[in-house]
Amino acid sequence: MKRSAQNFKKPLFLFRVASLVTAGLLVLTPVTGFGAVGVVAAHAETSDQDTSLSLFKANSNDVVDNQTINLPKGSTSIAIEALPTNDYAVAETSLNADALLPGQNDVTVTVTSGDETVVQVYHLNVVVAEPSSDTSLSEVLVNGSPFTVASDGSSVYEAGIGTSQVTVAASATSGLAQVDVTGNSNLVAGSSNTVTIHVVAEDLTTADYSFHVNVATPNTNTSLSSFKVNGTEVQDDEIVVVPYGTTAISLEAITVAETSTFTTAGDSGLALGDNTVSVTVTAQSGAVSTHSVTVRVAAPSSDRAINSITVNGVTLAGSSIDVAAGVSQVTVGVDLHSSVANYVVTGNTALIGGTNTVTVAVTSQDGVSSSFLFTVNVYQPSANTGLLSVVLGDIDYTSYLDSASSISLPFGTTAVNLTVTAADTKSTVAQSGASTLHTGINTVLITVTAESGATSTYSLKLNVAKSSDASVSSITVDGVDRTAADSAVQQTAKVASSVSVVVVTSDVDAVA
């Protein structure tokens, strides 16, 4: 390490700057003898109280006061060069520049002024990198597989029966840390085996990580964690009822111990009644236990009950249902109470207008059958062409229909308003002849058209009375109007043997 400091003083015979400034000029007698006066300029110097540095370097690099300098791990010294600006000033570097420690070091340069009245300290924060204290693990492999080691030592590695040693590969997070593994050999059965991973960091900090190795012992467990018949969990000695005709069931079993094995029996070839179905478990140690249930194959069902019947999607209420005219067949759906019964429908096709009988024959599982009958009423349009009433004014003349009797009407009646009501509201009524009446017998025709299209026509006689008017509207004699009473017939010059008389009656039906 190189340390520099100015610690010498100039000769005392030299003039100080302050003295020269005070004197201003120095007058010398020249050797020429001419008596000339010489003037010498004062020489300027730094102040005796100047503590500045003209050169300040650390490891050959320029530095300034309070600068931080980072050095690598293991560094123990730093080269300081410090040269005061004033030649009389003295610079002293602290001794720790040659005795650096890991971490922060305050290296100082103390400058004392030339007149020793001023002292200035320059600081350098020299940071020496510290060795790593990282004792963590980045990975642990046990027998080649990743394994997590809990910090509280509770981790357990499960080893097979007879395992005497496991391979443990532990990697420290820091590449400068050292790792040592102990306790992974000479293993014994059980969980009393402790493996320790010892880590020594770069700064010699240590940490231990441990876990247990449980060397398996042959198990004696013959229990089942799951026992299912046809997908449903069962217990030992339980009775499971299955439908009539079942000859095999699905049997599932899971042992509590993974190393245990099992066999099944009785799950096929089932007979009517009770059958024993079993699972026999053999433990790793050779212990054996049998778990069994009774599978009861039910007797054939005699259930022939009907929940509901639908006709063309409409639920049947009672024992009959109405459908529209012209329907020739219906779709019948039957919901049976028993899922093992079946049914056959007859009579639901080739339907005719009116009542049709449909039969639902249900056969139960035991082969017995019974029938349920209901009717489908196909609508028939009415053929009723009858009349309920024929009213004129306030009188019902229904009895006059198609008879010789006639209804008398006053002279001059030309039209009447007949109120005709059909016997069936779905029928329509038409009438003719009631608006063109004349004196005498008139026939009115009433036609009834039924819903089915059938028709009937009825007749009703209306007798319009004759007039009693005997007056004439005009009389002409030989073409001359002689209607007026005072009209006289002129005698011609020649006696006529006949005259032409035309009489027109007021009533067209009257006779003159």
Side-chain angles (χ1 to χ4, degrees), residues 64-147:
V64 295
D65 187 22
N66 290 319
Q67 183 171 329
T68 297
I69 301 170
N70 294 305
L71 297 180
K73 286 186 293 186
S75 299
T76 59
S77 64
I78 185 171
I80 304 298
E81 297 177 72
L83 184 62
T85 303
N86 188 292
D87 292 339
Y88 294 98
V90 177
E92 292 289 339
T93 302
S94 60
L95 296 178
N96 66 341
D98 290 328
L100 298 178
L101 298 175
Q104 294 188 352
N105 298 267
D106 184 19
V107 177
T108 62
V109 174
T110 303
V111 179
T112 304
S113 64
D115 63 1
E116 300 182 350
T117 61
V118 179
V119 176
Q120 182 172 351
V121 179
Y122 295 85
H123 296 268
L124 292 177
N125 181 27
V126 180
V127 180
V128 178
E130 299 185 49
S132 171
S133 62
D134 188 356
T135 58
S136 63
L137 294 173
S138 61
E139 183 182 48
V140 175
L141 300 177
V142 179
N143 286 344
S145 299
F147 183 73

Side-chain angles (χ1 to χ4, degrees), residues 225-250:
S225 61
S226 178
F227 188 9
K228 292 182 179 181
V229 172
N230 289 341
T232 301
E233 202 74 37
V234 295
Q235 302 294 327
D236 282 358
D237 302 323
E238 185 175 336
I239 296 176
V240 180
V241 179
V242 296
Y244 168 76
T246 301
T247 59
I249 52 94
S250 169

Side-chain angles (χ1 to χ4, degrees), residues 418-470:
L418 295 174
T419 302
V420 181
T421 304
D424 190 331
T425 57
K426 297 183 180 65
S427 299
T428 59
V429 178
Q431 49 182 297
S432 63
S435 60
T436 57
L437 302 179
H438 57 79
T439 301
I441 299 299
N442 298 266
T443 299
V444 175
L445 298 179
I446 300 173
T447 300
V448 179
T449 303
E451 183 184 17
S452 65
T455 62
S456 292
T457 301
Y458 303 90
S459 64
L460 182 67
K461 291 181 171 57
L462 302 180
N463 185 11
V464 178
K466 295 179 179 181
S467 174
S468 60
D469 187 357

Side-chain angles (χ1 to χ4, degrees), residues 3 24 72 76 107 130 137 174 205 260 286 361 370 376 393 401 446 479 484 488 500:
R3 290 189 298 164
T76 59
V107 177
E130 299 185 49
L137 294 173
S174 172
T205 299
S260 296
S370 59
V376 175
L401 293 172
I446 300 173
S500 173

